[in-house]
Amino acid sequence: MTRTLYLVPSGHEVGLTSIALGLVRALDKRGTRVAFYKPIGQAAAEDAGPERSTYFVRHTSSLEPAEPIALDEAEGLLAAGRSDELLERVMRGYHASSAGADVVVVEGLIDSQESSGESELNRELVRTLSAEVILAAALGDLPSTELEIRLERAASRYGGFSPGHVIGTILNRVRTEGPSRPSLYGSVGKPQNSLDPARFDVLGVIPENPELRACRTIDIARHLHADIVHEGEIMERRVRRISLLARTIPNLLDEVSAGTLLVTPGDRVDVVLAVALATLNSVPVAGLVLTGNLPLPPKVLELCRPALETGLPVLSVPGNSFDTAAALARMSHEIPIDDLARAEQGMDFIAEHIDVDALAKLSALRLETRLSPAAFCYRVTELARVAEKRIVLPEGDEPRTVKAAAICAERGIARCVLLGEPTDVRRVASAQGVELPANVEILDPRALRARYVAPLVELRKHKGLTPQAAADFLEDNVWLGTVMLALGEVDGLVSGAVHSTANTIRPALQIIKTKPGARVVSSVFFMCLPEQVVVYGDCAVIPDPDADTLADIAIQSADSASRFGIPAKVAMISYSTGDSGSGSDVDKVRAATRLAHERRPDLVLDGPLQYDAAAIPDVARTKAPGSPVAGHATVFVFPDLNTGNTTYKAVQRSAHVISIGPMLQGLRRPVNDLSRGALVEDIVYTIALTAIQASETAS
């Protein structure tokens, strides 16, 4: 039975859309087949584009909710006495949006200041959809007694707090206490919830998080109608605070910090040069706004060129600094349609603070074990928390790595060890606005290298390694971290944000070696397709495996899939399916399939299969009838690196899916490589994967 959860605001500006989308994400993370529907669209006055909720759901998930009916059109139908027609259209949209779902999240209407018509329409839609109501509320500066009155009043319109009527409350924008702490979705403290959770069936307490209001510098430029003097990273940099610079240089230096938008008169060349110097010192300010329509002299602009090349955006506006600051204060906090990253961040943050288990009990929801992309990421972080492993990060002063280490410590994903000169690491953290938790270790490589010379000589004595050669190797932090791993002082290693794949893997191949039963070291990517997560191997390490090696890759990849909760159905990919083709390439895949069956008869494995026969049931019924894998493959083993790497990149870029990896498999102890373009989130998940691999190695 499909259950319908209808979200109703208990007042104005509660963040209804954010809560609705966060609830969708929370349910998806727990494996529930969830759908979303917004029956009636309410566009904000400044909105000229598509309805935001529906747009964001379509572009951040595989869901395809029906287009909402415009509010003025709905009101016109009601005024004309055609309510039946309106409700029929609503039901049509509901069924189009909810096919195959166990739970449908419906976003209701926000009351306008002018009338109570939205409340009446909400009640009618709740009845029509046979929905259970969840109240969305925001605490902010509101006294808790006033909020309780509002909640009771709102609940009374739908039968009060009881099963089948109003099943609970999600509380948004709750003030926090204690020091702010880094997380993947922003820095927050512990939320202060003064509501009685039993009386109001509190299903989520979402802390106030200024990070979720951090717009991009391009949004500032659009709002101010500014001229762009230098574009830089105008689409990526986030504005976390705004500072008006009008004082002398010594008195304004504290304002020049990561994420700050700096506003100054265009003729304050001294300020411009100070900002340029700070930028060159790795302080990523959000941007520089020059007021008064005073262009920088060409010589000054040229002097600032190195700073501009770091990505510093520079804008120019005609108004004075005071008027510009006032205009910025009036800027809307609505997420622009093209800022999907901020929408995703908000959805994930809210999902993290919704108690899906409590919701399931109140509404008898079925929590399945479907491994959607969000559910996979949730599972990975939960397993890593249980593992409690110590992971060394050789690139300890790299900004993204520092952020990822702080997040992993805060979320309990792993105990991270940063290799780097402590002063440099802390300077990088400060420049990024990151406060490193006490349980992030910072080890100075200069103080460590000498003590690892003898162990490295011992590990490589069969190759005749001399102490001097060992000392030279240990000048590289990846070698240093790998020796620590070989000695069991850490549980895993993650590198590659600035090092090549070869630089990360080579030390591991020489001193970690392969684990028992593994013939080679290979890799897999976890491909987060819209409906499920599948495994691709090998797409990063072995250029042209022979049949014996390809069979080993298939076995390793199947085991990796199972380790992370993906039921392994292995397809050995080729340009031919079954016995329909011949040639050395397809013969190799056929032989590898036979060898894999012989070594692991327990595996569900078949090949050779063309990709479409492996992935699409309709094609499988024609090309490979009776195959236990065709049409339902979850592990795709490619015949060579050329095919695998090309396919993973094509799917990743063309289908806009997240790919996590490469994760190396076959080593005695886990070492994993990063893409040099890795995002902070990518590094966090790679650390989590490494921690889980380490727990498997330990057991």
Side-chain angles (χ1 to χ4, degrees):
M1 175 183 174
T2 301
R3 305 195 77 91
T4 304
L5 305 178
Y6 194 103
L7 275 146
V8 174
S10 64
H12 298 289
E13 298 183 354
V14 300
L16 183 67
T17 292
S18 298
I19 293 173
L21 301 187
L23 180 57
V24 170
R25 180 61 54 89
L27 289 164
D28 189 38
K29 278 188 173 184
R30 293 304 304 272
T32 301
R33 296 186 184 277
V34 62
F36 173 82
Y37 181 44
K38 185 172 177 69
I40 311 295
Q42 285 177 293
E46 64 275 14
D47 268 355
E51 193 278 316
R52 288 169 186 268
S53 303
T54 304
Y55 181 89
F56 285 140
V57 167
R58 287 175 177 171
H59 288 80
T60 59
S61 73
S62 61
L63 302 180
E64 286 292 338
E67 197 67 31
I69 302 164
L71 179 59
D72 56 357
E73 186 179 358
E75 290 176 335
L77 290 171
L78 291 173
R82 296 160 60 189
S83 59
D84 288 349
E85 181 181 339
L86 172 64
L87 297 178
E88 182 183 332
R89 287 179 57 184
V90 166
M91 288 302 298
R92 193 182 308 133
Y94 172 86
H95 287 296
S97 304
S98 62
D102 294 321
V103 182
V104 184
V105 175
V106 180
E107 181 185 336
L109 292 154
I110 300 169
D111 288 344
S112 66
Q113 303 284 357
E114 295 78 20
S115 72
S116 60
E118 290 83 2
S119 291
E120 292 295 332
L121 192 47
N122 274 333
R123 282 199 292 273
E124 188 60 44
L125 292 176
V126 167
R127 286 192 293 269
T128 299
L129 299 173
S130 300
E132 296 170 299
V133 172
I134 296 175
L135 294 179
L139 185 55
D141 296 320
L142 196 67
S144 58
T145 51
E146 174 63 24
L147 179 61
E148 290 173 0
I149 292 170
R150 291 188 183 186
L151 287 172
E152 294 283 12
R153 184 187 304 131
S156 67
R157 299 170 185 163
Y158 302 94
F161 286 99
S162 62
H165 297 284
V166 180
I167 61 169
T169 303
I170 296 176
L171 195 55
N172 195 14
R173 296 176 188 156
V174 179
R175 302 290 188 203
T176 58
E177 60 184 3
S180 87
R181 301 170 298 171
S183 80
L184 191 58
Y185 314 115
S187 297
V188 296
K190 181 180 179 181
Q192 298 173 305
N193 173 28
S194 56
L195 287 181
D196 179 351
R199 179 183 169 197
F200 294 98
D201 292 319
V202 178
L203 304 174
V205 180
I206 303 159
E208 182 77 61
N209 187 355
E211 183 74 15
L212 301 183
R213 298 191 178 193
C215 66
R216 302 162 302 175
T217 311
I218 185 63
D219 303 321
I220 297 287
R222 292 167 179 170
H223 177 69
L224 295 177
H225 303 290
D227 292 326
I228 299 174
V229 177
H230 181 73
E231 184 173 296
E233 296 173 346
I234 196 169
M235 297 295 293
E236 293 84 26
R237 296 208 178 184
R238 296 276 170 188
V239 179
R240 291 167 176 84
R241 60 191 294 265
I242 297 170
S243 182
L244 184 60
L245 302 182
R247 292 171 285 173
T248 61
I249 298 299
N251 292 320
L252 58 76
L253 290 180
D254 287 342
E255 301 297 316
V256 184
S257 58
T260 302
L261 182 77
L262 305 168
V263 181
T264 191
D267 58 358
R268 285 293 303 272
V269 172
D270 56 335
V271 173
V272 174
L273 293 177
V275 172
L277 283 172
T279 300
L280 289 173
N281 200 33
S282 301
V283 179
V285 299
L288 180 62
V289 180
L290 305 175
T291 65
N293 207 19
L294 300 168
L296 286 176
K299 289 185 177 180
V300 174
L301 196 61
E302 191 58 34
L303 192 60
C304 294
R305 186 66 55 193
L308 299 179
E309 289 175 355
T310 68
L312 173 67
V314 180
L315 311 177
S316 176
V317 295
N320 61 42
S321 296
F322 179 81
D323 291 340
T324 301
L328 289 170
R330 296 191 296 269
M331 186 171 173
S332 169
H333 292 300
E334 291 282 351
I335 302 175
I337 285 293
D338 65 345
D339 193 358
L340 293 177
R342 185 173 158 202
E344 287 261 24
Q345 183 184 31
M347 291 167 70
D348 283 328
F349 179 80
I350 290 171
E352 196 177 54
H353 292 88
I354 290 177
D355 188 344
V356 179
D357 291 329
L359 174 59
K361 291 176 183 176
L362 288 169
S363 190
L365 298 182
R366 183 173 60 184
L367 296 183
E368 297 184 352
T369 56
R370 181 180 69 95
L371 206 62
S372 66
F376 174 75
C377 292
Y378 174 81
R379 180 185 179 89
V380 165
T381 54
E382 288 300 301
L383 289 173
R385 285 191 185 101
V386 173
E388 295 184 322
K389 295 301 178 181
R390 188 172 183 241
I391 307 299
V392 65
L393 308 174
E395 299 158 328
D397 57 2
E398 194 280 321
R400 292 164 295 166
T401 302
V402 171
K403 285 184 179 179
I407 290 166
C408 286
E410 165 60 24
R411 299 181 67 197
I413 290 171
R415 292 175 286 127
C416 293
V417 179
L418 296 170
L419 294 183
E421 201 281 309
T423 302
D424 291 341
V425 174
R426 293 191 177 95
R427 176 182 53 79
V428 169
S430 177
Q432 301 296 314
V434 173
E435 183 178 342
L436 287 173
N439 56 343
V440 173
E441 297 178 63
I442 304 173
L443 299 182
D444 190 341
R446 298 172 303 179
L448 296 176
R449 290 183 179 119
R451 71 190 235 204
Y452 290 103
V453 170
L456 180 54
V457 169
E458 179 65 21
L459 288 167
R460 297 287 291 165
K461 64 182 179 182
H462 62 291
K463 291 293 185 181
L465 186 70
T466 66
Q468 182 55 54
D472 291 341
F473 277 128
L474 291 167
E475 289 295 316
D476 184 335
N477 282 357
V478 178
W479 270 95
L480 178 60
T482 306
V483 176
M484 294 172 68
L485 178 61
L487 297 177
E489 296 179 1
V490 294
D491 301 303
L493 180 147
V494 173
S495 182
V498 293
H499 288 85
S500 68
T501 297
N503 285 345
T504 297
I505 297 177
R506 189 181 298 115
L509 293 175
Q510 294 187 18
I511 60 177
I512 300 294
K513 306 294 181 60
T514 56
K515 64 184 179 182
R519 289 169 167 77
V520 294
V521 174
S522 61
S523 72
V524 290
F525 280 88
F526 295 93
M527 305 297 293
C528 298
L529 304 180
E531 289 299 323
Q532 64 175 338
V533 179
V534 298
V535 171
Y536 282 4
D538 171 17
C539 303
V541 179
I542 302 175
D544 190 16
D546 58 21
D548 188 68
T549 301
L550 192 60
D552 195 52
I553 293 171
I555 292 168
Q556 291 184 25
S557 300
D559 288 342
S560 293
S562 298
R563 184 181 302 128
F564 291 95
I566 301 170
K569 295 185 177 182
V570 185
M572 307 294 285
I573 301 300
S574 177
Y575 61 76
S576 173
T577 294
D579 298 323
S580 64
S582 61
S584 60
D585 290 337
V586 72
D587 288 343
K588 177 181 78 170
V589 175
R590 194 172 286 121
T593 304
R594 185 183 66 255
L595 288 170
H597 271 305
E598 291 172 356
R599 293 173 191 167
R600 288 286 300 276
D602 59 304
L603 292 181
V604 181
L605 180 146
D606 196 14
L609 291 168
Q610 291 165 287
Y611 192 99
D612 57 351
I616 302 171
D618 287 346
V619 177
R621 281 190 285 271
T622 302
K623 290 188 174 183
S627 168
V629 171
H632 304 283
T634 58
V635 179
F636 296 76
V637 178
F638 296 99
D640 53 55
L641 187 59
N642 182 48
T643 306
N645 192 269
T646 301
T647 303
Y648 117 74
K649 287 186 181 294
V651 172
Q652 179 191 37
R653 300 300 180 183
S654 300
H656 306 291
V657 303
I658 297 170
S659 63
I660 300 175
M663 186 187 83
L664 300 184
Q665 51 190 14
L667 286 166
R668 284 192 301 114
R669 295 180 180 274
V671 172
N672 280 312
D673 180 40
L674 299 166
S675 163
R676 275 171 278 184
L679 302 175
V680 173
E681 189 171 5
D682 299 330
I683 301 174
V684 170
Y685 284 124
T686 302
I687 292 171
L689 289 174
T690 307
I692 298 167
Q693 284 181 294
S695 67
E696 189 83 6
T697 301
S699 62

